[in-house]
Amino acid sequence: MIKQKQLGNHLLIEYYDCDSEVLKNTSLIEKHMIEAAKIAQATIVESVFHTFSPWGVSGVVVIEESHLTIHTWPEYKYAAVDLFTCGNTIKPWVAFKFLEGKLKAKRADLTEISRGIVDRILEDNKNLL
């Protein structure tokens, strides 16, 4: 199968049976997400994280190449993560494996989506002219 030229790559990740204490710790989750961006060779712009009551974390690391997000449910030992990267220098698969280890996930499901298929974009633009 020939891979089409795309603008971005989006990894949708489900981490199961994680360490609940890690998933509750907002500062630790932010630290891991920032480190994941760095080891993926992304350029960090800003990070914002929120702690829910009684527990759970949502956060985003905005990168020049798009974003990394996380939402945790410590009571279910579950985390949902999106790694959306543009360009061909970023390594989201490295970030995926890093986070799997840091969250102490026993299992992970991953869906990869190509974003911005160039042929489709150009076809759409022809219809606008």
Side-chain angles (χ1 to χ4, degrees):
M1 179 176 164
I2 298 173
K3 186 167 178 135
Q4 297 177 319
K5 183 174 172 150
Q6 64 193 45
L7 300 178
N9 194 41
H10 201 158
L11 302 183
L12 306 173
I13 306 158
E14 313 238 6
Y15 292 114
Y16 301 100
D17 204 10
C18 301
D19 183 322
S20 291
E21 294 305 311
V22 172
L23 297 182
K24 289 179 186 179
N25 188 327
T26 303
S27 61
L28 189 57
I29 292 291
E30 183 172 14
K31 177 184 171 198
H32 292 331
M33 291 294 287
I34 288 171
E35 186 65 23
K38 288 178 181 177
I39 67 168
Q41 299 180 351
T43 306
I44 297 170
V45 175
E46 185 175 3
S47 66
V48 176
F49 283 76
H50 173 75
T51 307
F52 291 95
S53 179
W55 50 66
V57 178
S58 284
V60 61
V61 177
V62 178
I63 58 176
E64 285 186 7
E65 304 83 5
S66 198
H67 66 266
L68 289 72
T69 63
I70 188 166
H71 306 283
T72 73
W73 287 263
E75 68 274 29
Y76 295 106
K77 298 182 175 187
Y78 168 78
V81 173
D82 288 5
L83 306 177
F84 186 1
T85 60
C86 298
N88 56 10
T89 61
I90 308 305
K91 299 178 167 99
W93 289 96
V94 174
F96 160 70
K97 291 305 284 180
F98 172 81
L99 290 170
E100 185 176 39
K102 291 300 182 181
L103 300 177
K104 300 179 184 176
K106 293 199 170 85
R107 184 169 57 91
D109 289 336
L110 183 141
T111 301
E112 183 175 9
I113 299 172
S114 297
R115 304 298 300 265
I117 303 295
V118 173
D119 287 344
R120 291 182 192 162
I121 294 168
L122 294 176
E123 183 62 35
D124 286 343
N125 287 337
K126 286 179 200 173
N127 293 334
L128 295 175
L129 300 176

